[in-house]
Amino acid sequence: MNQRERVLAILVGGLVVLGIGQWGFSKYKSALQQRKTRFESLQDRQLQLSEKRLLGAIADKQMGEYLVRSLPSDTEKARNAYQSWLLDVAKKHDVETPAVNETGTSPVGDLYHQFKFKISGRADMPQIVDLMYDIQAKDYLHRIQQFEITPSKRDDGFIFNVTLDVIALSAAPGNAAPPKTHSWRVEQDQLAYAEPILNRNLFEPPNQPPVFNGNKTLEAVRGREVAFPLDVKDPEQHRLAFNLVSEHDNVTIDQRSGTIRVKSDELTEFKVDVEITDSGYPNKKTTETLLVKVVDPPPPPKEEPPKVELAYDDAKQTYLTGLVQGAKDWTAWMNVRTRGKTLKLRVGDEFEIGSVRGIIKSIDADKVEIEIDDKVIALKSGNTLKAAVDEIE
């Protein structure tokens, strides 16, 4: 073998060795990658199994909580227990004519039975809110499907209807006890639950407080009872109720009309706090502080003007034709036939008809009392003003 052949042989041998090495390295690398892929697959499988075990534990815990909150698996006991509980809640909150009825039952596979109940009645809004709080705070497996509320036509209350779904799990005990836990879905504090509901006006614009427009200084005459009708307007025209914040021996107030009466035998002055509440929802209040001054009566005139006999006295043809109750107070309708007009007078109004000059002292469903020269006459419907005056002279 010459030199050239030896060189070629070495080159061919080197290429063969290099090819064998390359093939061996590729096989090793492929085996290593397969092992790595297998290892990663096993890790993923382990994670999946761990996740399934965790989800299973969570589901088992959740099912345990559901079982505690479930109605009894005995459908008859479940039906009676839930219906009795709803009635107890209604009675607790003084609901008028409460009614609780089951409106349907349906099984869902072998897992549970779903019941539908309806509770209805009449109550004031705070009572309804308290009832709804107790229903939602009870940690049954239930939910409110529908809630309806309408104003009552006969008073200021509301008619309500609540439809509920409730579940009895098949795995629950046949005589399962009611849940004792408080639902996390509602506030623990009942006042915090009720506040945003009761402070909403559901059927009209937001309620505004009454507005006082009268004089804050009242001047009474010593030894006389003096009436002061308060000038108060409510933006929504609600009924108003008037109360004295503190009692005064010399002061009374008509809760419906807001007329303050003052009678004192001493010269004095004092403050009176009057609370005015409207009938809107929620109620709005206004408190006004009035200054009452008791003064001496004005001196009598030096000479009384001669009494002028009228050619014709309109008081003889003035009839009380109606006593009308308005939103705040009563109104007396006096028809002066000789003039062809009707005067509509309220408590505190002064008037002069023919020979009669007086002040309306009080009005009720039967009569109107009129103060004339420190005397009080009673005028009833259909009678003439002059005849009533002549009866006391």
Side-chain angles (χ1 to χ4, degrees):
M1 180 181 294
N2 56 29
Q3 183 68 24
R4 182 180 177 192
E5 289 176 342
R6 285 197 299 271
V7 172
L8 287 173
I10 292 171
L11 289 174
V12 171
L15 290 173
V16 171
V17 171
L18 183 62
I20 293 172
Q22 184 68 32
W23 175 82
F25 180 74
S26 296
K27 292 289 287 183
Y28 170 77
K29 186 176 180 180
S30 176
L32 189 64
Q33 183 63 40
Q34 288 179 357
R35 184 177 180 182
K36 182 179 179 181
T37 301
R38 177 63 176 167
F39 179 75
E40 290 176 349
S41 176
L42 292 174
Q43 281 187 320
D44 290 342
R45 178 62 177 168
Q46 184 180 17
L47 288 175
Q48 291 175 3
L49 292 175
S50 298
E51 184 177 359
K52 286 183 178 180
R53 284 196 298 271
L54 179 60
L55 291 175
I58 294 174
D60 186 61
K61 180 181 178 182
Q62 188 70 61
M63 179 57 71
E65 294 177 358
Y66 287 163
L67 290 173
V68 172
R69 298 169 55 198
S70 171
L71 289 176
S73 57
D74 185 319
T75 56
E76 191 62 30
K77 290 182 179 180
R79 184 181 295 109
N80 293 335
Y82 196 74
Q83 186 172 26
S84 298
W85 173 72
L86 285 177
L87 278 173
D88 289 342
V89 173
K91 292 177 181 178
K92 172 184 174 182
H93 298 291
D94 298 325
V95 173
E96 294 185 20
T97 61
V100 178
N101 297 297
E102 181 197 357
T103 60
T105 305
S106 57
V108 179
D110 296 330
L111 296 177
Y112 60 85
H113 279 78
Q114 178 175 307
F115 300 88
K116 286 187 178 294
F117 283 88
K118 184 176 182 180
I119 177 172
S120 60
R122 198 215 70 85
D124 295 332
M125 183 59 74
Q127 295 173 279
I128 295 175
V129 172
D130 290 344
L131 178 138
M132 294 299 292
Y133 176 82
D134 279 356
I135 290 176
Q136 292 184 290
K138 191 72 169 179
D139 207 19
Y140 273 124
L141 289 176
H142 62 178
R143 66 178 180 180
I144 296 174
Q145 184 187 74
Q146 188 173 12
F147 175 59
E148 298 176 349
I149 180 171
T150 54
S152 174
K153 294 181 179 179
R154 63 183 179 88
D155 52 28
D156 293 332
F158 298 89
I159 305 297
F160 69 89
N161 291 279
V162 184
T163 303
L164 301 110
D165 292 335
V166 60
I167 287 175
L169 294 172
S170 300
N175 57 347
K180 298 180 180 180
T181 53
H182 184 102
S183 175
W184 58 268
R185 295 170 179 80
V186 294
E187 295 275 359
Q188 291 283 339
D189 185 358
Q190 187 168 351
L191 292 178
Y193 173 89
E195 181 70 17
I197 302 174
L198 293 179
N199 281 340
R200 291 175 56 194
N201 197 313
L202 303 177
F203 301 102
E204 58 183 27
N207 190 25
Q208 300 298 318
V211 178
F212 179 80
N213 297 315
N215 193 337
K216 294 188 178 182
T217 300
L218 309 180
E219 193 169 281
V221 177
R222 182 174 64 169
R224 297 181 186 175
E225 183 178 86
V226 184
F228 300 97
L230 298 183
D231 184 4
V232 182
K233 305 295 183 185
D234 187 73
E236 294 81 25
Q237 301 297 315
H238 292 131
R239 293 195 315 274
L240 299 178
F242 300 82
N243 288 286
L244 297 178
V245 176
S246 57
E247 294 185 1
H248 296 269
D249 294 336
N250 304 323
V251 181
T252 60
I253 191 168
D254 188 309
Q255 293 186 344
R256 296 175 61 184
S257 67
T259 298
I260 290 181
R261 298 183 183 279
V262 180
K263 185 176 182 180
S264 174
D265 295 327
E266 298 180 2
L267 295 176
T268 183
E269 65 177 53
F270 52 89
K271 292 182 178 180
V272 175
D273 292 326
V274 180
E275 183 181 78
I276 309 158
T277 307
D278 68 15
S279 61
Y281 201 89
N283 299 135
K284 292 292 185 178
K285 297 181 179 180
T286 296
T287 301
E288 290 293 336
T289 300
L290 308 177
L291 177 63
V292 178
K293 294 182 177 181
V294 182
V295 300
D296 280 324
K302 293 181 179 180
E303 291 186 15
E304 292 187 6
K307 191 172 181 179
V308 179
E309 293 293 337
L310 300 176
Y312 191 84
D313 192 351
D314 290 335
K316 293 181 179 180
Q317 291 297 316
T318 299
Y319 289 81
L320 179 61
T321 57
L323 296 168
V324 180
Q325 185 179 19
K328 298 194 305 180
D329 50 21
W330 287 84
T331 303
W333 289 21
M334 292 191 187
N335 179 249
V336 186
R337 295 183 179 180
T338 52
R339 301 184 194 177
K341 68 177 183 178
T342 298
L343 301 181
K344 299 179 181 180
L345 304 174
R346 296 182 178 179
V347 174
D349 287 350
E350 296 185 11
F351 67 90
E352 183 174 1
I353 302 175
S355 61
V356 179
R357 181 175 183 178
I359 301 175
I360 303 298
K361 182 177 178 62
S362 69
I363 306 173
D364 57 31
D366 297 321
K367 64 185 179 304
V368 54
E369 292 186 341
I370 304 170
E371 184 177 339
I372 302 172
D373 296 333
D374 294 332
K375 297 180 181 179
V376 177
I377 69 167
L379 178 60
K380 295 187 177 181
S381 295
N383 293 344
T384 65
L385 179 60
K386 180 62 175 173
V389 173
D390 291 342
E391 286 181 3
I392 65 171
E393 292 183 351

